[in-house]
Amino acid sequence: MFKVAVIGSGPAAFYTAQHLLKSRSNVSIHMFEKLATPFGLVRFGIAADHQDAKKVANKFDELATHYQKEGRFQFVGGVEVVGSEDADAVANASLSQRRLPFSLLRKNYDVVIAAYGAESAKTMPLKQGRAVSAHDFVQWVNGHPDSIGHSDMFAHHLEAETAVVVGHGNVALDVARVLLDDVDSLRRTDVPDNVLQVLAESKVRHVRLVARRGPFQMAFTAKELREMTKLPNASYMPNELLSSEPYKSSDSLPWLDRSPKRLMQILHGSGDAKAIKSKSWALDWYLSPHQILQDENTKSIKAIQFQKTSPVSSVVPFGSKIELVPNEFVDMPCGLVISSLGYTGLPLPNCSEDLPFDARSGVIPNIQGRVIDPATKAPIEGLYASGWIKRGAVGVIAATMYDAVETADSILADLETAKPDASKQGFAGIQAHLGGKAVSYDGWKVLDEHERKEGAKRGKLREKVVDLKSAMRIIDMGDK
Ligand SMILES: Cc1cc2nc3c(=O)[nH]c(=O)nc-3n(C[C@H](O)[C@H](O)[C@H](O)COP(=O)(O)OP(=O)(O)OC[C@H]3O[C@@H](n4cnc5c(N)ncnc54)[C@H](O)[C@@H]3O)c2cc1C
């Protein structure tokens, strides 16, 4: 049997595992996850009002249950894989989360797959002031353990009437929707009760989504933008830039790609000035964030200052680099600034040499999923990458699936000429290190059932246990 260790348990981990387990009967997989719960951004990223997209977790559950019964799959939750030299952290690891040196995985498994996502928010450089990050907002709404205690902070932020969200991608739209939509639309989902309470008291009435580049560079998907224009209680306020050339006649521009044309059609067909709704939202372009301005007495945010920019050429198709000329500064009054500039990958904590990392692009250097030595470009035997940490933090789950299949195909091709290494002990080689503290898949199912039951009492899908220690306690009690 080939022993395979996967770091992470998001879509990339599950799709890679699925392809390997289905393709070969002599592969067994251990999936190491730092949190007590599986499924990565399916649980903690995808918006709560997109429950259909979250249903992919049911497929992963079927896979785990099936192959666990066969004895070829094991979930190892509450175990963070870290750098080999992080001995102090390993020794001091809390009872609710164990740390496992990467070198132990390499020593005990034939194949190690890094599928640990790209979890860090890109920061917005500002001369003065700090924006709230969309990453933190999304984690809070989704009940991520790192957001424990954040409700007071967000209650304070949501006292603002106008919020500016910097960024024109789908996550920015997710944030704007949560800020503007009626909180009742979230009550039956899995948004934690204390978050719903804060959202219900939010004073935000107007959201401006701002980007440094122009309308043809928007990175929204058509489905999400259309959904935004149809919010029942928030009007879209068209920006007059869209009434000028070349944006006005975007449909007939021969050099413009299909994707921005579609987005422009949606915007041109939206915005009913007569509809009176209690909230509103708008899009702004060619504004580069400069600094956040505070009220001198109250220290609360009163505006964000942008530097206006203009494109050198109006012929700038979607996805291409755009050259901008800086112009004058302009203040946009608001009480809250949220930066949504995307995510980036990080190396494993304290893992500098064993697992190569390209800090510039935020990914593990690889060729079709085979991790390569950055100096020689040669593949490192038995080491692979999959998902966002392999290709960068872009793409929906379908894209992550294709990417995972590519990695699995590389592994399968390499296994054709390999033999299982008898010296690799697999889980037996690391068990002593974990001290029996990891969360099994059955343990996760205990927590899952607990959350569903608590949710049912409240008429919602689930009530998430946000605190990792509490989650571990529930698992420990039920897993006996
Ligand atoms: C806010 C947001 C909303 C999105 N909405 C949608 C949507 O509506 N529809 C859609 O199709 N796609 C959506 N996506 C994209 C989708 O979530 C990604 O394509 C997908 O999750 C990437 O999968 P992954 O497995 O590479 O990473 P992740 O899903 O991030 O999984 C990585 C896993 O690794 C774990 N991990 C990290 N470090 C370690 C470590 N050291 N040791 C052990 N485990 C570790 C993490 O806890 C996590 O569970 C969204 C993304 C974001 C950020």
Side-chain angles (χ1 to χ4, degrees), residues 6-14 32-35 37-42 44-47 50 53-54 79-82 115-119 134 138 142 144 170-171 174 223-224 343 348-349 386-391 394-401 403:
V6 184
I7 308 170
S9 69
F14 271 97
F32 294 86
E33 167 57 53
K34 70 175 175 181
L35 302 176
T37 54
F39 312 141
L41 286 168
V42 176
F44 293 121
I46 294 180
H50 285 177
K54 283 182 185 268
V79 174
E80 183 177 26
V81 180
V82 296
Y116 62 88
E119 296 191 304
V138 165
N142 275 292
H144 190 284
N170 279 349
V171 176
D174 285 350
K223 184 169 163 275
E224 294 236 353
Y343 289 56
L348 282 179
S386 182
W388 274 19
I389 196 61
K390 168 190 172 189
R391 69 170 196 282
V394 281
V396 291
I397 288 179
T400 300
M401 181 185 73
D403 175 90

Side-chain angles (χ1 to χ4, degrees), residues 52-69:
D52 272 355
K54 283 182 185 268
K55 278 188 185 148
V56 69
N58 297 339
K59 293 266 167 237
F60 300 153
D61 179 60
E62 278 168 26
L63 179 95
T65 309
H66 175 85
Y67 285 102
Q68 181 172 267
K69 264 192 206 134

Side-chain angles (χ1 to χ4, degrees), residues 13-226:
F14 271 97
Y15 282 124
T16 312
Q18 175 179 353
H19 201 58
L20 292 176
L21 289 164
K22 284 192 170 170
S23 305
R24 285 191 82 121
S25 57
N26 65 344
V27 161
S28 75
I29 291 187
H30 288 137
M31 196 175 272
F32 294 86
E33 167 57 53
K34 70 175 175 181
L35 302 176
T37 54
F39 312 141
L41 286 168
V42 176
R43 181 173 160 102
F44 293 121
I46 294 180
D49 56 349
H50 285 177
Q51 288 297 326
D52 272 355
K54 283 182 185 268
K55 278 188 185 148
V56 69
N58 297 339
K59 293 266 167 237
F60 300 153
D61 179 60
E62 278 168 26
L63 179 95
T65 309
H66 175 85
Y67 285 102
Q68 181 172 267
K69 264 192 206 134
E70 262 192 29
R72 294 206 288 137
F73 176 87
Q74 197 175 321
F75 175 71
V76 191
V79 174
E80 183 177 26
V81 180
V82 296
S84 314
E85 71 272 33
D86 195 15
D88 286 348
V90 171
N92 297 330
S94 69
L95 282 180
S96 54
Q97 193 185 42
R98 308 301 294 180
R99 296 214 166 108
L100 182 67
F102 177 74
S103 58
L104 270 185
L105 287 185
R106 287 287 276 157
K107 188 173 160 212
N108 287 291
Y109 288 85
D110 296 287
V111 169
V112 176
I113 306 166
Y116 62 88
E119 296 191 304
S120 176
K122 286 186 184 163
T123 47
M124 182 162 80
L126 287 171
K127 188 180 152 213
Q128 178 182 284
R130 251 188 74 196
V132 172
S133 91
H135 168 276
D136 292 356
F137 183 81
V138 165
Q139 284 200 337
W140 172 64
V141 173
N142 275 292
H144 190 284
D146 288 353
S147 71
I148 194 98
H150 283 188
S151 282
D152 284 351
M153 179 182 80
F154 280 109
H156 171 70
H157 289 317
L158 299 188
E159 279 173 13
E161 264 199 31
T162 300
V164 169
V165 180
V166 181
H168 275 182
N170 279 349
V171 176
L173 287 182
D174 285 350
V175 170
R177 249 186 7 263
V178 172
L179 289 174
L180 291 173
D181 208 358
D182 193 331
V183 70
D184 287 341
S185 69
L186 297 175
R187 288 203 192 278
R188 299 176 68 81
T189 66
D190 54 356
V191 175
D193 272 0
N194 67 324
V195 175
L196 289 173
Q197 206 177 326
V198 173
L199 291 175
E201 284 164 22
S202 162
K203 303 222 169 30
V204 176
R205 293 285 169 272
H206 187 58
V207 175
R208 292 180 81 157
L209 292 137
V210 184
R212 199 175 61 86
R213 300 185 300 167
F216 296 156
Q217 283 74 45
M218 291 184 293
F220 308 130
T221 53
K223 184 169 163 275
E224 294 236 353
L225 184 60
R226 198 175 304 106

Side-chain angles (χ1 to χ4, degrees), residues 122 124 134 163-177 207-222 224-225 228 236-239 241-242 247 259-260 263-264 267 281-289 306 309 318-319 322 324 332 338-343 393-394:
K122 286 186 184 163
M124 182 162 80
V164 169
V165 180
V166 181
H168 275 182
N170 279 349
V171 176
L173 287 182
D174 285 350
V175 170
R177 249 186 7 263
V207 175
R208 292 180 81 157
L209 292 137
V210 184
R212 199 175 61 86
R213 300 185 300 167
F216 296 156
Q217 283 74 45
M218 291 184 293
F220 308 130
T221 53
E224 294 236 353
L225 184 60
M228 188 75 193
Y236 162 59
M237 314 292 280
N239 184 317
L241 181 72
L242 297 191
Y247 311 109
S259 170
L263 297 179
M264 296 304 287
L267 293 180
W281 65 281
L283 292 162
D284 296 271
W285 295 277
Y286 295 123
L287 293 172
S288 179
F306 290 100
T309 59
F318 175 71
I322 175 169
L324 297 168
M332 186 180 280
I338 300 181
S339 120
S340 182
L341 302 182
Y343 289 56
V394 281

